[in-house]
Amino acid sequence: MTFQFQRPMLLVLNRTTLLVLLSLLVVLGVILPWTGTPGFMFPNATSSLAKWRDYTLSQAASFVAKNGTIIVCAVSQPYLPFLNNWLISISRQKHQDQVLVIAEDYATLYKVNGRWPGHAVLVPPAPDSQTAHKFGSQGFFNFTSRRPRHLLHILELGYNVMYNDVDMVWLKDPFPYLQGDHDVYFTDDMAAVKPLDHSHDLPPPGKKGRTYICSCMIFLRPTDGAKLVMKKWIEELQAEPWSKAKKANDQPAFNWALNKTAGQVDLYLLPQSAFPTGGLYFKNQTWVEETKGKHVIIHNNYITGFEKKIKRFRDFGLWLVDDHAVESPLGKL
């Protein structure tokens, strides 16, 4: 009687085991490809992620530097389409191998290095990626205020560094325009038209007592002067942090740093015809025609919002990711 009772139980257990195994096969074969692979089941994936988490700015700079020079941008996940657009334009000028993406969240770090190994690094702690893209927010301030620290670190490693915002497009190679051996090169953010032979000195202060230089495009040599400007920029940001009443960004602090160190540092204003602000390039078509063939890097500023920026780029034939994603080191995202 005891034997007859246990036999059906064994059959039930066998059926249950089979159902469990089938369920596991369904999970492994169907669900995981869509949700991602857990590291405990595939250790190589976990070790790869750990490798990039431990990847340092020093290692990354050494990997990408060419002729002692690095091209840097700082990107959070919402800006990945702009990163790709920018990279296409740089690839056309054969400088993509010098690019280092400073990822401001782990999703960006893993995405870029997964497709383009070694070209992204995250300097902890990572800011809140959900708010870092909202202009005027505390998240945006926290995101952009890390910039001078990154640049100072690269200078202290001994490299020349060019910084770009990723809502820019290269039309030509900018390096021939970095004439001389100045400490800091920059562009004016004012839309007023300058003479083609304008001075390359720091412009006079505006109504707020400071200049209106754009922190979007900067080239620095690893000199004491350039390091002094970065240190002063950091000090100015600390002295005037973000608040709800005064929704600051990093650009005023950069201008105060330039103004307060001007007598000690060799500064160079790049030509407006080559590096126009968006308030000039996108809004003054007469000037664009008069300076045709001279434009080098275009900045899509003087406008806020992702969709508005993309539409403007499309309207001017500068949104390259639609038809030319294959030219990016990241491919189609």
Side-chain angles (χ1 to χ4, degrees), residues 222-267:
T223 60
D224 291 341
K227 294 172 190 175
L228 177 63
V229 172
M230 294 301 101
K231 290 173 183 175
K232 192 63 180 174
W233 189 0
I234 293 166
E235 287 177 15
E236 292 294 326
L237 285 166
Q238 292 171 339
E240 194 169 346
W242 186 92
S243 67
K244 288 183 179 179
K246 195 170 187 179
K247 297 179 179 180
N249 59 72
D250 70 313
Q251 189 160 298
F254 177 57
N255 278 269
W256 284 122
L258 290 173
N259 295 174
K260 292 179 180 181
T261 60
Q264 308 165 66
V265 182
D266 188 353
L267 305 175

Side-chain angles (χ1 to χ4, degrees), residues 140-328:
F140 184 84
F141 177 81
N142 293 342
F143 169 69
T144 57
S145 65
R146 288 159 54 88
R147 186 183 322 180
R149 295 184 183 277
H150 299 327
L151 296 177
L152 177 59
H153 190 173
I154 293 170
L155 292 176
E156 289 175 337
L157 291 170
Y159 300 103
N160 302 309
V161 56
M162 175 184 285
Y163 172 83
N164 276 190
D165 281 353
V166 291
D167 58 344
M168 304 184 105
V169 169
W170 289 24
L171 302 182
K172 293 183 181 180
D173 184 346
F175 285 95
Y177 294 81
L178 305 174
Q179 300 174 1
D181 294 310
H182 308 286
D183 297 322
V184 183
Y185 299 72
F186 45 80
T187 64
D188 200 336
D189 208 20
M190 297 296 287
V193 174
K194 298 178 183 291
L196 290 177
D197 60 348
H198 68 75
S199 169
H200 297 290
D201 295 337
L202 186 69
K207 293 179 180 178
K208 295 183 179 180
R210 56 171 168 78
T211 50
Y212 294 91
I213 299 303
C214 192
S215 57
C216 56
M217 191 313 204
I218 309 167
F219 182 77
L220 305 162
R221 300 195 191 278
T223 60
D224 291 341
K227 294 172 190 175
L228 177 63
V229 172
M230 294 301 101
K231 290 173 183 175
K232 192 63 180 174
W233 189 0
I234 293 166
E235 287 177 15
E236 292 294 326
L237 285 166
Q238 292 171 339
E240 194 169 346
W242 186 92
S243 67
K244 288 183 179 179
K246 195 170 187 179
K247 297 179 179 180
N249 59 72
D250 70 313
Q251 189 160 298
F254 177 57
N255 278 269
W256 284 122
L258 290 173
N259 295 174
K260 292 179 180 181
T261 60
Q264 308 165 66
V265 182
D266 188 353
L267 305 175
Y268 186 85
L269 176 66
L270 289 161
Q272 184 187 56
S273 59
F275 302 90
T277 184
L280 178 57
Y281 183 84
F282 293 108
K283 296 185 177 184
N284 189 334
Q285 289 308 296
T286 300
W287 179 87
V288 170
E289 286 299 319
E290 290 173 349
T291 56
K292 189 174 181 179
K294 297 181 183 294
H295 314 134
V296 177
I297 294 181
I298 306 303
H299 186 202
N300 196 356
N301 64 344
Y302 276 70
I303 191 172
T304 58
F306 285 5
E307 294 306 318
K308 289 180 181 179
K309 283 178 179 277
I310 291 171
K311 182 181 184 304
R312 183 199 254 176
F313 264 155
R314 281 196 176 117
D315 290 345
F316 283 77
L318 297 174
W319 189 245
L320 310 174
V321 294
D322 288 339
D323 301 319
H324 306 283
V326 69
E327 295 180 46
S328 168

Side-chain angles (χ1 to χ4, degrees), residues 89-128:
S89 72
I90 291 179
S91 296
R92 291 179 174 183
Q93 305 305 324
K94 313 300 183 188
H95 282 291
Q96 72 277 11
D97 290 343
Q98 292 172 265
V99 170
L100 177 59
V101 177
I102 297 182
E104 296 291 6
D105 53 58
Y106 285 99
T108 300
L109 175 71
Y110 300 145
K111 174 69 100 176
V112 174
N113 279 339
R115 295 190 174 217
W116 197 24
H119 282 269
V121 65
L122 188 146
V123 180
D128 178 7

